[in-house]
Amino acid sequence: MTVWQATYFATMAATAHGRGAAVLAEQEALIEDLEQLDGANRYLLLAARLNRAWVLIDEGRPGEAEVEARAVLRALTRLKHLTEVWQLELCALQCLGDALCAQDEYEEAETIARGNLPRAEKRLATRLHRLLIRSLSGQGRHEEALAESRRTFPEPLPSDSGELELARAVALHALGRAGEAETEARRALAACERYLHPAHSRVGEVHALLARIASA
């Protein structure tokens, strides 16, 4: 169990840094090993499956990630009487929302974010709030997204660096405020470069936005 936990945390750190593709095979091998767990110990299996789902989103496989996130949510209902699962449940809901956004299913993602923000705490609330902003922009509701981005939430983890600035830049660009959008995009890039691997998907998103702003 100690080796499995260490492998889980190592692959989770790599994923957060933006190197999920490099550890995908290791994640899948870990999940196969963890299938033998039973009872409350299956919490680690579900966490590992969720970590893999985020890599699938970054790898352009959001449909598979959606299926996995929904499966994790179903499995968590069978653990509620054995151990506390609400934090992992919120993470799974966020992952589901991210997968939906990657498939342009923004309305359902908004429903997930709004429905669960009231019970989320600290950084989990911050992450659901970021999901809400993305879902609003995806629906073309950029003024609302921008207004939401001004709300105060707990400081994000280093793995979330640049996410809020990018969300603001996307909304500002869509509203025709190119100068402000570029400023926010460059702030997002600086934050990403401080903490994240160059291969992180967010770095690519920022570069793509800056290219669109420059060509406008």
Side-chain angles (χ1 to χ4, degrees):
M1 180 63 79
T2 301
V3 172
W4 287 337
Q5 289 175 332
T7 302
Y8 165 72
F9 285 116
T11 56
M12 182 176 68
T15 300
H17 192 218
R19 296 179 291 113
V23 297
L24 183 56
E26 189 175 0
Q27 286 179 327
E28 291 173 342
L30 173 64
I31 289 167
E32 186 175 347
D33 287 342
L34 294 177
E35 286 287 357
Q36 63 189 279
L37 296 176
D38 56 14
N41 287 329
R42 289 183 71 80
Y43 187 100
L44 182 60
L45 166 64
L46 298 180
R49 288 174 60 184
L50 201 56
N51 192 35
R52 176 180 176 273
W54 261 301
V55 176
L56 293 176
I57 295 173
D58 287 341
E59 290 299 293
R61 298 159 62 184
E64 295 173 62
E66 178 189 350
V67 170
E68 186 74 326
R70 293 188 189 278
V72 168
L73 285 166
R74 289 193 297 272
L76 283 170
T77 63
R78 297 193 289 272
L79 286 187
K80 285 183 176 180
H81 68 291
L82 299 174
T83 188
E84 189 176 86
V85 302
W86 68 271
Q87 289 182 310
L88 190 59
E89 182 181 30
L90 286 174
C91 288
L93 286 164
Q94 183 210 338
C95 183
L96 175 59
D98 288 342
L100 291 168
C101 283
Q103 299 174 85
D104 299 331
E105 299 289 343
Y106 297 109
E107 290 186 8
E108 187 177 352
E110 180 190 359
T111 300
I112 289 170
R114 290 194 186 280
N116 292 282
L117 260 172
R119 68 186 181 107
E121 298 176 358
K122 300 179 181 179
R123 289 189 173 112
L124 284 172
T126 299
R127 288 181 167 181
L128 283 171
H129 182 240
R130 302 294 190 267
L131 173 63
L132 174 60
I133 295 170
R134 288 197 307 278
S135 69
L136 291 171
S137 271
Q139 295 174 70
R141 294 156 62 186
H142 303 294
E143 290 283 6
E144 291 177 64
L146 196 58
E148 282 291 341
S149 76
R150 307 300 184 193
R151 291 177 60 191
T152 301
F153 275 81
E155 282 295 312
L157 292 167
S159 58
D160 299 321
S161 296
E163 188 176 24
L164 180 58
E165 294 86 351
L166 175 59
R168 283 182 185 146
V170 168
L172 288 165
H173 180 243
L175 293 169
R177 296 160 63 176
E180 295 171 78
E182 181 177 1
T183 297
E184 286 292 337
R186 295 201 179 281
R187 287 181 60 201
L189 185 59
C192 289
E193 289 176 339
R194 182 177 180 185
Y195 291 110
L196 305 179
H197 191 273
H200 197 289
S201 59
R202 194 173 304 128
V203 176
E205 291 176 34
V206 176
H207 280 300
L209 177 59
L210 284 169
R212 291 198 300 273
I213 293 171
S215 65

